[in-house]
Coordinates of all heavy atoms in Angstrom, one line a residue:
D1 N 107.2 108.1 96.9 CA 106.8 109.3 97.6 C 107.7 109.7 98.8 O 107.4 110.6 99.5 CB 105.3 109.3 98.1 CG 105.1 108.1 99.0 OD1 106.0 107.4 99.4 OD2 103.9 107.9 99.3
G2 N 108.8 108.9 99.0 CA 109.8 109.2 100.0 C 109.3 108.9 101.4 O 110.0 109.2 102.4
T3 N 108.2 108.2 101.6 CA 107.7 107.9 102.9 C 108.6 106.8 103.5 O 109.1 105.9 102.8 CB 106.2 107.4 103.0 OG1 106.1 106.4 102.0 CG2 105.3 108.6 102.6
E4 N 108.7 106.8 104.8 CA 109.6 105.8 105.5 C 108.7 104.8 106.2 O 107.7 105.1 106.9 CB 110.5 106.5 106.5 CG 111.3 107.6 105.9 CD 112.7 107.6 106.5 OE1 113.3 106.6 106.6 OE2 113.1 108.8 106.8
T5 N 108.9 103.5 105.9 CA 108.1 102.4 106.5 C 109.0 101.5 107.3 O 110.1 101.1 106.8 CB 107.5 101.6 105.3 OG1 106.7 102.5 104.6 CG2 106.6 100.5 105.8
I6 N 108.5 101.0 108.4 CA 109.1 100.0 109.2 C 108.2 98.8 109.3 O 107.0 98.9 109.4 CB 109.4 100.6 110.6 CG1 110.6 101.6 110.6 CG2 109.7 99.5 111.6 CD1 110.8 102.5 111.7
V7 N 108.8 97.6 109.0 CA 108.1 96.4 109.1 C 108.7 95.5 110.2 O 109.9 95.4 110.3 CB 108.1 95.6 107.7 CG1 107.4 94.3 107.8 CG2 107.5 96.5 106.6
T8 N 107.8 95.0 111.1 CA 108.3 94.1 112.2 C 107.6 92.8 112.1 O 106.4 92.7 111.6 CB 108.0 94.8 113.5 OG1 106.6 95.2 113.6 CG2 108.9 96.0 113.8
G9 N 108.2 91.8 112.6 CA 107.7 90.4 112.6 C 107.9 89.8 114.0 O 108.9 90.0 114.6
S10 N 106.9 89.1 114.5 CA 106.9 88.7 115.8 C 106.5 87.2 116.0 O 105.8 86.6 115.2 CB 105.9 89.6 116.6 OG 105.6 89.0 117.9
L11 N 106.8 86.7 117.2 CA 106.4 85.4 117.6 C 104.9 85.3 117.8 O 104.3 84.2 117.8 CB 107.1 85.1 119.0 CG 107.0 83.7 119.6 CD1 107.5 82.6 118.6 CD2 107.9 83.6 120.8
D12 N 104.2 86.5 117.8 CA 102.7 86.5 117.8 C 102.0 86.2 116.5 O 100.8 86.4 116.3 CB 102.2 87.8 118.4 CG 102.5 89.0 117.5 OD1 102.9 88.8 116.3 OD2 102.2 90.2 117.9
D13 N 102.9 85.8 115.5 CA 102.4 85.4 114.1 C 102.1 86.6 113.2 O 101.7 86.4 112.1 CB 101.1 84.5 114.1 CG 101.2 83.3 115.0 OD1 102.3 83.1 115.6 OD2 100.2 82.6 115.2
M14 N 102.3 87.8 113.7 CA 101.9 89.0 113.0 C 103.0 89.7 112.3 O 104.1 89.7 112.9 CB 101.2 90.0 113.9 CG 99.9 89.5 114.5 SD 98.7 89.2 113.2 CE 97.4 88.3 114.2
V15 N 102.7 90.3 111.2 CA 103.7 91.2 110.5 C 103.0 92.6 110.7 O 101.8 92.8 110.4 CB 103.9 90.9 109.0 CG1 104.7 92.0 108.4 CG2 104.5 89.5 108.9
K16 N 103.7 93.6 111.2 CA 103.1 94.9 111.3 C 103.9 95.9 110.5 O 105.1 95.9 110.4 CB 103.1 95.4 112.8 CG 102.1 94.6 113.6 CD 101.8 95.2 115.0 CE 100.8 94.3 115.8 NZ 100.5 95.0 117.1
V17 N 103.1 96.8 109.9 CA 103.7 97.9 109.1 C 103.5 99.2 109.7 O 102.3 99.6 110.1 CB 103.1 97.9 107.7 CG1 103.7 99.0 106.8 CG2 103.2 96.5 107.0
W18 N 104.5 99.9 110.0 CA 104.5 101.2 110.7 C 105.0 102.3 109.7 O 105.9 102.1 109.0 CB 105.4 101.2 111.9 CG 105.2 100.0 112.8 CD1 105.8 98.7 112.5 CD2 104.5 99.9 114.0 NE1 105.4 97.9 113.6 CE2 104.7 98.6 114.5 CE3 103.8 100.8 114.8 CZ2 104.1 98.1 115.7 CZ3 103.3 100.4 116.0 CH2 103.4 99.1 116.4
K19 N 104.4 103.5 109.8 CA 104.9 104.7 109.1 C 105.7 105.5 110.1 O 105.3 105.7 111.3 CB 103.7 105.6 108.7 CG 103.2 105.2 107.3 CD 104.1 105.8 106.2 CE 103.7 105.3 104.8 NZ 104.3 103.9 104.5
W20 N 106.9 105.9 109.7 CA 107.8 106.8 110.5 C 107.7 108.2 109.9 O 108.1 108.4 108.8 CB 109.2 106.3 110.5 CG 110.2 107.2 111.2 CD1 111.1 108.1 110.6 CD2 110.3 107.4 112.6 NE1 111.8 108.7 111.5 CE2 111.4 108.4 112.8 CE3 109.7 106.8 113.7 CZ2 111.8 108.8 114.0 CZ3 110.2 107.3 115.0 CH2 111.2 108.2 115.1
S21 N 107.0 109.1 110.7 CA 107.0 110.5 110.3 C 106.8 111.4 111.5 O 106.3 110.9 112.5 CB 105.9 110.8 109.3 OG 104.6 110.5 109.9
D22 N 107.3 112.6 111.5 CA 107.3 113.5 112.6 C 107.9 112.9 113.8 O 107.4 113.0 115.0 CB 105.9 114.0 112.9 CG 105.3 114.7 111.7 OD1 106.0 115.3 111.0 OD2 104.0 114.5 111.5
E23 N 109.0 112.1 113.6 CA 109.7 111.5 114.7 C 108.9 110.5 115.6 O 109.1 110.4 116.8 CB 110.4 112.6 115.6 CG 111.1 113.6 114.8 CD 112.6 113.6 115.0 OE1 113.1 113.8 116.1 OE2 113.3 113.4 114.0
K24 N 107.9 109.9 115.0 CA 107.1 108.9 115.7 C 106.6 107.8 114.8 O 106.5 108.0 113.6 CB 106.0 109.5 116.6 CG 104.9 110.2 115.8 CD 103.9 110.8 116.7 CE 102.6 111.3 116.0 NZ 102.9 112.5 115.1
L25 N 106.3 106.7 115.4 CA 105.8 105.5 114.7 C 104.3 105.5 114.7 O 103.7 105.8 115.8 CB 106.3 104.2 115.3 CG 107.7 103.7 115.0 CD1 107.9 102.4 115.6 CD2 107.9 103.6 113.5
E26 N 103.7 105.2 113.6 CA 102.2 105.1 113.5 C 101.9 103.7 112.9 O 102.4 103.5 111.8 CB 101.7 106.2 112.7 CG 100.3 106.7 113.0 CD 99.9 107.9 112.2 OE1 100.6 109.0 112.4 OE2 99.0 107.8 111.3
L27 N 101.1 102.9 113.5 CA 100.7 101.6 113.0 C 99.9 101.8 111.8 O 98.8 102.5 111.8 CB 100.0 100.8 114.0 CG 99.6 99.3 113.6 CD1 100.9 98.5 113.2 CD2 98.8 98.6 114.6
Q28 N 100.3 101.2 110.6 CA 99.5 101.4 109.4 C 98.7 100.1 109.1 O 97.5 100.2 108.8 CB 100.5 101.7 108.3 CG 99.7 102.5 107.2 CD 100.7 102.8 106.0 OE1 101.8 102.3 105.9 NE2 100.2 103.7 105.2
W29 N 99.4 99.0 109.1 CA 98.7 97.7 108.9 C 99.2 96.6 109.8 O 100.3 96.6 110.2 CB 99.0 97.1 107.5 CG 99.0 98.1 106.3 CD1 100.1 98.6 105.7 CD2 97.9 98.7 105.7 NE1 99.8 99.5 104.7 CE2 98.4 99.5 104.6 CE3 96.5 98.6 105.8 CZ2 97.6 100.3 103.8 CZ3 95.7 99.3 105.0 CH2 96.2 100.1 104.0
T30 N 98.2 95.7 110.2 CA 98.6 94.5 110.9 C 98.3 93.4 109.9 O 97.1 93.2 109.5 CB 97.8 94.3 112.2 OG1 98.1 95.4 113.1 CG2 98.1 93.0 112.8
L31 N 99.3 92.7 109.4 CA 99.2 91.8 108.3 C 99.0 90.3 108.9 O 100.0 89.8 109.5 CB 100.4 91.9 107.4 CG 100.7 93.3 106.8 CD1 101.9 93.3 106.0 CD2 99.5 93.8 106.0
E32 N 97.8 89.8 108.7 CA 97.6 88.4 109.2 C 97.7 87.4 108.0 O 97.4 87.7 106.9 CB 96.2 88.4 109.8 CG 96.0 89.3 111.0 CD 94.6 89.2 111.6 OE1 94.0 88.2 111.4 OE2 94.2 90.2 112.2
G33 N 98.1 86.2 108.4 CA 98.3 85.2 107.4 C 99.2 84.1 107.8 O 98.9 82.9 107.7
H34 N 100.3 84.5 108.5 CA 101.2 83.4 109.0 C 100.6 82.7 110.1 O 99.9 83.2 111.0 CB 102.5 84.1 109.4 CG 103.4 84.5 108.3 ND1 103.9 83.5 107.4 CD2 103.9 85.7 107.9 CE1 104.7 84.2 106.5 NE2 104.7 85.5 106.8
Q35 N 100.8 81.3 110.1 CA 100.2 80.5 111.2 C 101.1 80.3 112.4 O 100.6 79.9 113.4 CB 99.9 79.1 110.6 CG 99.1 79.1 109.3 CD 97.7 79.7 109.5 OE1 97.0 79.3 110.4 NE2 97.4 80.7 108.7
L36 N 102.4 80.7 112.2 CA 103.3 80.6 113.3 C 104.2 81.8 113.3 O 104.1 82.7 112.5 CB 104.2 79.3 113.1 CG 103.5 77.9 113.3 CD1 104.3 76.8 112.8 CD2 103.2 77.7 114.8
G37 N 105.1 81.8 114.3 CA 106.0 83.0 114.5 C 106.7 83.5 113.2 O 107.1 82.7 112.4

């Protein structure tokens, strides 16, 4: 569908999925599962 997605990974053990549209980021999912960074 042409949507733009940004995925970030952090030392906080989380993977976050962001949608990029209208020149801004919107948090879509916070993906839990990893036990470490």
Side-chain angles (χ1 to χ4, degrees):
D1 58 8
T3 53
E4 305 216 48
T5 301
I6 285 162
V7 177
T8 52
S10 165
L11 190 52
D12 68 8
D13 311 353
M14 295 300 167
V15 175
K16 290 191 179 185
V17 180
W18 313 77
K19 270 281 172 275
W20 173 255
S21 64
D22 303 324
E23 315 249 295
K24 62 180 191 293
L25 280 183
E26 209 174 297
L27 182 63
Q28 205 179 12
W29 317 104
T30 297
L31 307 176
E32 299 181 25
H34 284 299
Q35 306 300 307
L36 290 166

